[in-house]
Amino acid sequence: MSAPVDETQKYRDHEGPYFGNFGGRWMPESLVAALDEVEKTFREAKQDPEFLAEFHRLGRDYTGRPSLLTEVSRFAAEAGRARIFLKREDLNHTGSHKINNVLGQALIAKRMGKTRLIAETGAGQHGVATATAAALMGMDCVVYMGSEDTRRQALNVARMRLLGAEVVPVDHGAKTLKDAINEALRDWVASVEHTHYLLGTVAGPHPFPEMVRWFHQVIGDEAREQILSMEGRLPDAVAACVGGGSNAMGLFHGFLDDPEVALYGFEAGGDGVETGRHASAITLGRSGVLHGARSYLMQDEDGQTVDSHSISAGLDYPSVGPEHAYLAEIGRASYEPVTDAECMASFESLCRTEGIIPAIESAHALAGAARLSRKWGAEGEGKIIIINLSGRGDKDVETAAEWFRMLPGQVNDPVAETETAEKTGDASPSPAPETGVQS
Amino acid sequence: MSTEATPAEPSTPPTPTQAPDTRSKTADAIEAARAQGRAAFIGYLPAGYPDKESSIAAAIELARNGADVIEIGVPYSDPVMDGPVIQQATTEVLARGFRLPEVFEIVAAVVQATDAAVLVMTYYNLIDRMGADEFARRLAEAGGAGAITPDLIPDEGSEWIQATQRHGLDRVFLTAPTSSPERVAQIVTASRGFVYGVSVMGVTGARDQVSDAAERVVTAARSAGAERVCVGLGVSTRAHVEEIGRYADGVIVGTALVAALRDGGPAAVGALTAELTGAAETAR
């Protein structure tokens, strides 16, 4: 089912359960009462000045909001002619945008009298944020994480455990984010009486896509105000990476009703969409039902979910939030894939030009924005792009070091040495130098 | 939609546009058991496990040993309502290259060899991808009685309700211990064949005791007008079957049968079914 969209209504005001043909609640009946309770509590909380005050206080005094808006001229110069600003969600407590939603939902959970939080995590950013909120509010916490991801993100596993959370590696399916969500849902069906499932992105059944977006809207609202105050005008484009899509939705919402601002979401293109090894659900454009929502979904001819692939554990998800599917369908936002190689070239570029190590997720947005700036060419002179730097790259240092062959045993690798020589003067060769932004 | 905070109203399920053109096969099977003074026995097995031939043979063993209704589970990549035993089995089936049309072949073979009503149990995206009407058409063509859809609530079920209506199939929705009276009424109205009462909050899997929630779920569904309520999740012994059979119209067993199939093949399924249905005692 889908609800007709009121053309006169502002995009910002869209509420669930449906976003055009997408969204809904494709869930076992056992969870419907819990979803109703979450929705009711959320709607009441949004109207409650005390709740709002507490949410904003935590944002200011605990997270560190507002986050900065930083112009990155040296990075921009490598990319093209446009001016580029980063919305610095990487400077938040716990190192990513995830904390906004987690603090909001933890307050909702407390309001419902729940004593236990469960969460799924891919790269660990959401797991770390949830473990943090649980510690802050004195709640029990269990985080499900694909066993492949516990390997890729061992540092974040240790962080969650230090914060008092139990991390449960999930050993079936592709052993990544999708499977961690399945396991969290199984837990929730059996524990819903005292447990809140703190879903980490704008996906899942209603009211999660709407509620998670609402807790992240602060990103776009701040960015809009900051760019107006710094430059006296709106940006020409905003860009963000899209896995489930929470950081992108948070940024987009600040500009949804400004038709002159182009919205760009960059999906994980993995080895390239044509290889089948990617996580670009919107680019593939096939509607289906997974984890409680109708949205774009990577699936085979029978409707079985296809395993996604990305160098970024945080984007390694075969579907996407339903509101993104809607924005793509109506053409309000554009979505493009960015390959692992393109992403890592921009990752490297930001490190070298600005002294900022980004999360690999966010590096997809950097690469996409750089592509946009190059495409604009001379016409891009003076144009402004705001990129959401959704997280910092501490957790990704090992992955990046491996990619750039900087690990012990790799530095003397003859292949690496050959590539180093070919790149003349560049000490950190990429395995796919032909896609580098420098070229 | 508006900017006002308005909780989502549970939408009314679409009213079928015409009366079903065939009798409910599942209802007939349950009523036949009732005429014999007992609750119906409903057994679940995954399609194609451990291979196509064995899964057909196991389903036939189920029917021979007293099952009135057979559920053929369709292997799915993301089975959120299934516990470890069933998940392991279906994962194995998918890993060996299972394709969806196999389900219709298995249903047809079981229907030909037994008198039991044969339902499929499937997560909704598999129906959605094929198209609700095409899925229903092929299931009806195979002689299937209908489908149980564990992740489909009536709120989202309009296409499926219409498709099953057109093809004379049963559609079994689940009701849970946490379902509100309004939702139970909606579920009862939308269902055809029977209503699936979830006995516990949790996923499939054998449990030591039957939760006291089971009887409450049945009572709530009956109060909402359900003619047939069958209870599943956590049922694994003859004692459970007898206990639930006192207040429900049917008893659903899955995990215990799948474990028997895994450990002892179709013959073990037959032996366990005979034990669970009480057929073994009669034979003695």
Side-chain angles (χ1 to χ4, degrees):
Chain A
M1 275 197 290
S2 64
V5 173
D6 178 358
E7 297 295 334
T8 62
Q9 187 191 26
K10 290 189 170 188
Y11 288 120
R12 266 185 84 84
D13 299 335
H14 280 179
E15 291 183 338
Y18 303 104
F19 301 95
N21 294 314
F22 304 100
R25 293 200 298 195
W26 304 82
M27 273 276 114
E29 175 65 24
S30 300
L31 290 172
V32 170
L35 294 169
D36 281 342
E37 188 189 8
V38 172
E39 180 181 19
K40 182 171 175 287
T41 310
F42 168 60
R43 295 220 186 281
E44 286 168 0
K46 275 203 313 183
Q47 311 292 330
D48 176 358
E50 265 183 56
F51 175 88
L52 294 174
E54 179 64 358
F55 179 59
H56 293 312
R57 186 192 68 77
L58 285 170
R60 183 188 66 230
D61 300 345
Y62 191 73
T63 305
R65 304 212 70 89
S67 65
L68 300 177
L69 188 69
T70 306
E71 179 162 16
V72 284
S73 315
R74 281 166 46 77
F75 174 79
E78 283 202 351
R81 299 268 188 77
R83 294 175 66 194
I84 294 178
F85 292 74
L86 302 183
K87 181 60 178 161
R88 301 292 305 279
E89 293 295 298
D90 62 313
L91 297 179
N92 291 345
H93 179 52
T94 71
S96 79
H97 72 290
K98 294 287 185 186
I99 193 77
N100 306 324
N101 163 53
V102 159
L103 291 173
Q105 278 198 57
L107 290 177
I108 295 285
K110 245 176 115 172
R111 212 176 156 100
M112 292 187 295
K114 311 282 182 184
T115 56
R116 178 174 176 260
L117 299 177
I118 54 174
E120 81 298 334
T121 197
Q125 284 176 320
H126 175 60
V128 167
T130 305
T132 302
L136 180 68
M137 299 194 191
M139 298 168 99
D140 294 331
C141 182
V142 174
V143 179
Y144 292 95
M145 190 169 187
S147 57
E148 167 67 14
D149 291 339
T150 58
R151 186 193 63 75
R152 288 196 277 191
Q153 304 288 348
L155 181 67
N156 270 343
V157 172
R159 288 170 79 196
M160 286 182 265
R161 288 181 173 152
L162 286 170
L163 291 161
E166 183 191 345
V167 180
V168 180
V170 177
D171 227 355
H172 44 75
K175 305 172 185 177
T176 57
L177 184 56
K178 162 181 92 75
D179 311 288
I181 294 178
N182 290 336
E183 213 51 41
L185 284 169
R186 282 194 191 91
D187 180 323
W188 202 29
V189 176
S191 66
V192 70
E193 206 176 323
H194 58 280
T195 297
H196 175 64
Y197 178 14
L198 209 159
L199 201 110
T201 189
V202 290
H206 176 70
F208 284 105
E210 176 193 333
M211 180 171 69
V212 175
R213 173 248 283 168
W214 195 83
F215 288 130
H216 281 307
Q217 276 173 210
V218 63
I219 303 171
D221 290 345
E222 281 179 9
R224 192 173 191 283
E225 203 177 301
Q226 286 166 322
I227 198 73
L228 284 174
S229 129
M230 288 160 80
E231 299 298 322
R233 71 174 182 94
L234 290 172
D236 298 281
V238 300
C241 63
V242 176
S246 66
N247 89 84
M249 198 51 79
L251 179 67
F252 287 2
H253 257 258
F255 304 94
L256 266 184
D257 294 302
D258 299 312
E260 66 271 40
V261 180
L263 312 177
Y264 284 92
F266 294 102
E267 300 193 287
D271 292 346
V273 175
E274 69 290 350
T275 67
R277 282 173 51 77
H278 64 91
S280 304
I282 299 180
T283 303
L284 216 61
R286 198 175 269 179
S287 167
V289 169
L290 179 72
H291 295 151
R294 175 179 291 286
S295 187
Y296 288 129
L297 173 64
M298 291 171 61
Q299 54 182 319
D300 69 12
E301 285 174 44
D302 288 348
Q304 309 285 358
T305 311
V306 169
D307 289 340
S308 54
H309 165 79
S310 168
I311 189 171
S312 162
L315 301 184
D316 203 343
Y317 182 61
S319 188
V320 63
E323 195 174 359
H324 282 295
Y326 169 64
L327 293 178
E329 194 178 63
I330 62 171
R332 175 63 190 100
S334 309
Y335 297 85
E336 297 174 7
V338 166
T339 64
D340 288 353
E342 288 172 290
C343 154
M344 293 313 289
S346 280
F347 176 99
E348 182 189 37
S349 173
L350 191 73
C351 293
R352 295 294 172 100
T353 57
E354 301 287 346
I356 298 172
I357 301 179
I360 293 179
E361 288 91 333
S362 319
H364 285 77
L366 294 168
R371 187 198 289 165
L372 179 65
S373 179
R374 278 198 304 275
K375 193 177 84 184
W376 281 342
E379 284 177 20
E381 190 76 49
K383 282 192 176 183
I384 293 175
I385 306 174
I386 295 178
I387 301 170
N388 199 12
L389 199 70
S390 55
R392 66 181 186 225
D394 306 31
K395 67 182 173 60
D396 293 323
V397 164
E398 192 175 335
T399 305
E402 196 178 337
W403 176 272
F404 294 114
R405 299 169 188 272
M406 291 167 174
L407 294 177
Q410 287 186 308
V411 281
N412 295 322
D413 185 303
V415 179
E417 282 181 356
T418 314
E419 287 184 357
T420 304
E422 281 172 2
K423 288 195 85 177
T424 57
D426 189 337
S428 58
S430 157
E434 72 277 8
T435 55
V437 283
Q438 293 92 336
S439 58
Chain B
M1 284 184 288
S2 76
T3 52
E4 277 300 303
T6 47
E9 296 284 333
S11 49
T12 317
T15 318
T17 48
Q18 58 185 58
D21 55 358
T22 57
R23 290 173 59 81
S24 160
K25 291 180 184 173
T26 321
D28 284 354
I30 295 170
E31 297 298 341
R34 184 183 294 181
Q36 295 170 15
R38 61 181 179 85
F41 185 86
I42 302 172
Y44 166 98
L45 291 170
Y49 179 74
D51 55 66
K52 189 162 99 180
E53 285 66 35
S54 307
S55 80
I56 293 167
I60 293 169
E61 282 295 316
L62 261 179
R64 276 191 191 145
N65 289 283
D68 306 285
V69 178
I70 295 171
E71 260 185 65
I72 300 290
V74 186
Y76 177 54
S77 51
D78 298 273
V80 291
M81 278 296 281
D82 289 322
V85 172
I86 291 177
Q87 189 185 13
Q88 181 59 39
T90 53
T91 302
E92 279 178 44
V93 178
L94 288 172
R96 70 152 174 78
F98 164 88
R99 294 296 312 273
L100 194 54
E102 215 173 285
V103 169
F104 303 115
E105 294 169 31
I106 291 167
V107 167
V110 177
V111 167
Q112 275 179 5
T114 73
D115 294 329
V118 181
L119 294 164
V120 298
M121 200 290 302
T122 181
Y123 290 90
Y124 193 70
N125 197 50
L126 302 177
I127 294 176
D128 189 68
R129 182 79 187 97
M130 180 173 278
D133 192 75
E134 175 68 2
F135 193 101
R137 186 187 70 73
R138 291 179 72 167
L139 183 56
E141 209 172 81
I148 302 171
T149 45
D151 62 345
L152 181 68
I153 55 176
D155 317 49
E156 308 289 2
S158 60
E159 278 189 39
W160 181 237
I161 290 169
Q162 286 163 16
T164 46
Q165 198 67 18
R166 275 194 295 272
H167 296 281
L169 292 175
D170 294 326
R171 49 183 177 268
V172 178
F173 289 102
L174 278 61
T175 177
T178 48
S179 302
S180 66
E182 296 75 28
R183 290 202 59 81
V184 175
Q186 190 187 2
I187 289 158
V188 167
T189 309
S191 297
R192 181 179 188 258
F194 68 95
V195 173
Y196 190 128
V198 174
S199 64
V200 289
M201 292 300 287
V203 297
T204 64
R207 288 172 176 82
D208 292 340
Q209 288 189 315
V210 176
S211 147
D212 61 357
E215 190 166 0
R216 284 189 283 114
V217 167
V218 173
T219 307
R222 283 205 205 294
S223 308
E227 289 175 48
R228 286 165 296 277
V229 189
C230 302
V231 168
L233 290 202
V235 186
S236 63
T237 67
R238 174 65 189 156
H240 293 163
V241 173
E242 286 180 347
E243 187 186 334
I244 293 170
R246 287 189 203 110
Y247 54 82
D249 302 292
V251 186
I252 305 166
V253 178
T255 297
L257 292 167
V258 179
L261 179 57
R262 175 193 68 200
D263 299 336
V269 171
L272 178 61
T273 310
E275 189 188 315
L276 293 170
T277 57
E281 290 164 34
T282 321
R284 247 176 241 142

